[in-house]
């Protein structure tokens, strides 16, 4: 039984990272403009935004580390394993694997530290939000009569916020279902690989779902197991499509909601009220999402580490392996295929690193000018410009970039 399955061909955690990073700076910019004529709040927000900029600079370095490690796997580890097998040097192979695990352990430690930094930074942004809310309540006391237009916009905003909440809950439900199905699929893959040497080597070297499933369908495995794998794969593909639609819907609601919030902010500013710090709350959401994605990256590398350890213990600890010409040929083929997938993954990490680099260098230049100093016309021009940029952000920045799917 042989067939190609339509499975996502890119790393989901990198895909979701980029829009969140891009959106964060723009939301800061909107918050900054909303606080025009409130200098103490401007100063607090500027400090938080600069902290975020520094954090993104560190994230850029981390992604570069991921890309460099992928490159080392392609250029050093896998060729080293190939040479060790060709020369019947199991000790050399074991040393190569131990070196790779040391690289990966370093990445896991650095990602863990970065997760903690995002957690502390998000708390400081939450504190900034509280300061804005406190100041807002003071200014509202000065208003005797609320504008009818403000009430209507507030109701529209609430409706969109409820839609967004429902959409997010549906995405979480799909994520939970996909996690369970992925676990079942991984177990089926392990069962299949235990029965075929070729699959066993390939599974140990390639932590990407799509290539693994396609390799299994090309190996004439047990019909019952094959049917189960296909059913799980089909379910995952369907859920992935549903999730993609929900992500697009989420983005549409975000854009519409942002427009409504901007109109509401303009009206409240005209009345002398500080707008709700909704964009700061969105900043917190983006930072939390980035933090969760970093946790996924950490788990991914931990999985790779376990795979390499198993490869060392179950393959190269067996001296008979290097004497079996058929097994050697199968293993060498697996290495060649693994190199291709790791190369694509490294390229995806470099692309994401580039996004963080741009965010770090240019996205926060707006902090150099106080919004209080802007004329009404210039203020509106900047507001409109930020909205245009927000609308340009795609929930799928890899739409034209084929990369390797990650086993999560």
């Amino acid at each position: 039984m042989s067939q190609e399955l339509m499975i996502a061909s890119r790393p989901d955690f990198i895909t979701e990272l980029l829009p969140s990073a891009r959106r964060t700076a723009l939301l800061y910019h909107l918050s900054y403009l909303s606080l025009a004529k409130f200098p103490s709040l401007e100063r607090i927000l500027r400090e938080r935004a600069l902290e975020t900029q520094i954090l993104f600079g560190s994230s850029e370095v981390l992604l570069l580390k991921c890309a460099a490690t992928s490159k080392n796997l392609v250029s050093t580890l896998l060729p080293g394993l190939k040479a060790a097998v060709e020369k019947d040097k199991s000790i050399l192979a074991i040393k190569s694997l131990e070196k790779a695990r040391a690289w990966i352990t370093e990445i896991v430690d650095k990602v863990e530290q970065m997760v903690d930094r995002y957690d502390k930074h998000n708390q400081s942004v939450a504190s900034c939000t509280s300061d804005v809310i406190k100041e807002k309540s003071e200014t509202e006391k000065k208003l005797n009569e609320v504008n009818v237009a403000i009430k209507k916009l507030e109701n529209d905003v609430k409706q969109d916020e409820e839609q967004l909440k429902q959409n997010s809950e549906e995405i979480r439900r799909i994520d939970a279902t996909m996690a369970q199905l992925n676990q079942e699929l991984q177990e089926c893959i392990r069962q299949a690989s235990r029965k075929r040497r070729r699959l066993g080597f390939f599974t140990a070297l390639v932590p990407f779902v799509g290539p693994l499933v396609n390799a299994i369908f090309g190996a004439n495995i047990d019909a019952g197991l094959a049917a189960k794998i296909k059913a799980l794969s089909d379910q995952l593909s369907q859920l992935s499509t549903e999730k993609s639609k929900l992500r697009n819907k989420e983005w549409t609601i975000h854009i519409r909601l942002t427009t409504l919030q901007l109109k509401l902010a303009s009206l409240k500013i005209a009345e002398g009220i500080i707008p709700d710090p909704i964009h700061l709350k969105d900043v917190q959401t983006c930072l939390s999402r980035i933090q969760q994605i970093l946790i996924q990256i950490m788990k991914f590398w931990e999985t790779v580490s376990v795979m390499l350890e198993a490869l060392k213990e179950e393959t190269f600890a067996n001296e008979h392996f290097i004497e079996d010409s058929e097994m050697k040929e199968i293993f060498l083929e697996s290495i060649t295929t693994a190199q291709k997938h790791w190369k694509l993954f490294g390229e995806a990490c470099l692309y994401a690193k580039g996004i963080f680099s741009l965010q770090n260098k240019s996205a926060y230049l707006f902090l150099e000018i106080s919004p209080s100093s802007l004329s009404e016309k210039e203020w509106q021009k900047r507001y409109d410009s930020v909205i245009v940029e927000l609308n340009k952000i795609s929930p799928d920045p890899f739409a034209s970039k084929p990369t390797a799917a990650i086993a999560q």
Side-chain angles (χ1 to χ4, degrees):
M1 180 179 182
S2 176
Q3 71 183 94
E4 290 291 316
L5 297 169
M6 296 300 293
I7 297 177
S9 59
R10 59 177 179 266
D12 285 343
F13 54 70
I14 298 293
T15 302
E16 295 177 7
L17 184 66
L18 305 184
S20 296
R22 285 169 166 154
R23 191 172 171 83
T24 300
L26 293 171
L27 291 169
Y28 264 129
H29 197 165
L30 290 178
S31 299
Y32 196 51
L33 289 170
S34 295
L35 296 178
K37 301 178 183 178
F38 299 95
S40 61
L41 295 178
E42 281 183 35
R43 177 182 55 78
I44 294 172
L45 188 136
R46 188 185 296 111
E47 290 173 357
R48 298 293 88 80
L50 287 172
E51 288 173 5
T52 300
Q53 187 179 20
I54 293 169
L55 196 57
F56 278 9
S58 300
S59 300
E60 175 190 349
V61 173
L62 182 63
L63 285 163
L64 182 61
K65 184 77 176 173
C66 289
T69 300
S70 299
K71 183 177 179 181
N72 284 337
L73 288 169
V74 173
S75 62
T76 304
L77 170 69
L78 296 176
L81 283 176
K82 187 180 290 187
V85 172
E86 289 172 340
K87 297 176 182 178
D88 297 341
K89 301 288 185 180
S90 59
I91 294 177
L92 180 62
I94 289 172
K95 286 182 177 179
S96 295
L97 291 168
E98 288 173 347
K99 183 183 291 185
R101 289 196 74 214
W103 297 337
I104 291 166
T105 298
E106 184 181 358
I107 285 184
V108 170
D109 290 342
K110 288 184 181 301
V111 176
E112 191 171 17
Q113 293 169 17
M114 189 63 63
V115 169
D116 290 339
R117 286 181 61 185
Y118 269 90
D119 187 49
K120 291 175 182 175
H121 178 56
N122 219 342
Q123 290 175 27
S124 71
V125 176
S127 175
C128 178
T129 305
S130 298
D131 290 338
V132 175
I133 292 172
K134 183 179 178 181
E135 187 76 16
K136 173 185 180 315
S137 64
E138 292 298 319
T139 60
E140 282 183 331
K141 290 176 184 177
K142 302 173 185 177
L143 191 68
N144 295 321
E145 194 174 278
V146 179
N147 191 296
V148 175
I150 290 179
K151 281 187 174 181
K152 183 181 185 308
L153 280 171
E154 285 177 338
N155 288 332
D156 291 342
V157 166
K158 284 181 181 178
Q159 289 178 12
D160 273 356
E161 286 175 340
E162 183 59 32
Q163 282 191 42
L164 198 58
K165 180 181 176 182
Q166 292 175 3
N167 199 75
S168 296
E169 288 174 355
E170 185 64 16
I171 289 175
R172 281 194 290 273
R173 184 192 66 77
I174 288 178
D175 280 340
T177 304
M178 288 182 73
Q180 181 180 350
L181 291 174
N182 259 314
Q183 193 172 359
E184 292 179 33
L185 182 59
Q186 292 294 331
E187 179 54 36
C188 289
I189 288 172
R190 282 191 287 271
Q191 288 181 35
S193 66
R194 283 195 289 267
K195 299 176 182 180
R196 293 285 188 279
R197 289 175 177 174
R198 184 184 301 273
L199 290 176
F201 294 141
F202 190 67
T203 302
L205 291 168
V206 181
F208 309 104
V209 171
L212 286 175
V213 172
N214 287 323
I216 285 171
F217 275 100
N220 295 320
I221 62 170
D222 175 74
L225 186 58
K228 186 174 182 180
I229 290 174
K230 182 172 188 314
L232 289 169
S233 300
D234 288 345
Q235 283 180 269
L236 282 168
S237 295
Q238 183 178 350
L239 287 171
S240 181
T241 300
E242 288 179 26
K243 182 179 175 181
S244 179
K245 289 178 180 178
L246 286 170
R247 283 288 187 209
N248 283 318
K249 182 180 178 182
E250 178 183 58
W251 216 254
T252 301
I253 297 173
H254 264 306
I255 291 170
R256 187 172 66 239
L257 187 56
T258 300
T259 301
L260 288 171
Q261 288 163 349
L262 290 177
K263 290 179 180 178
L264 186 57
S266 298
L267 285 173
K268 288 192 173 185
I269 289 170
E271 295 288 350
I273 308 173
I274 298 177
D276 287 318
I278 188 66
H279 303 309
L280 272 179
K281 292 177 182 177
D282 285 344
V283 166
Q284 289 174 246
T285 299
C286 287
L287 292 174
S288 295
R289 182 172 291 179
I290 292 172
Q291 184 185 31
Q292 291 303 311
I293 293 166
L294 288 172
I295 292 172
Q296 286 181 269
I297 293 175
M298 183 171 67
K299 289 180 178 178
F300 165 71
W301 284 110
E302 286 174 343
T303 300
V304 175
S305 180
V306 170
M307 286 164 47
L308 294 179
E309 178 64 17
L311 183 64
K312 184 183 79 174
E313 296 295 332
E314 297 173 10
T315 300
F316 292 101
N318 182 0
E319 292 292 337
H320 297 295
F321 164 74
I322 59 177
E323 299 172 2
D324 189 322
S325 60
E326 181 185 356
M327 289 176 68
K328 285 167 66 171
E329 182 183 347
I330 292 171
F331 189 72
L332 292 174
E333 289 176 3
S334 296
I335 290 176
T336 300
T337 305
Q339 284 177 300
K340 297 175 184 176
H341 295 294
W342 276 110
K343 182 175 182 292
L344 290 173
F345 175 66
E347 289 171 354
C349 289
L350 276 179
Y351 180 68
K353 176 260 179 192
I355 295 299
F356 272 100
S357 179
L358 288 173
Q359 293 295 306
N360 186 34
K361 291 175 182 176
S362 61
Y364 292 84
L365 292 176
F366 66 87
L367 294 172
E368 297 177 2
I369 299 175
S370 170
S372 300
S373 66
L374 300 174
S375 66
E376 186 176 340
K377 184 177 180 180
E378 180 61 25
W379 185 93
Q380 190 64 53
K381 180 180 177 182
R382 286 174 179 260
Y383 238 120
D384 294 341
S385 175
V386 175
I387 292 303
V388 168
E389 292 304 312
L390 274 170
N391 290 343
K392 286 180 182 177
I393 299 175
S394 168
D396 185 1
F398 279 87
S400 60
K401 287 181 170 289
T403 51
I406 303 301
Q408 297 181 23

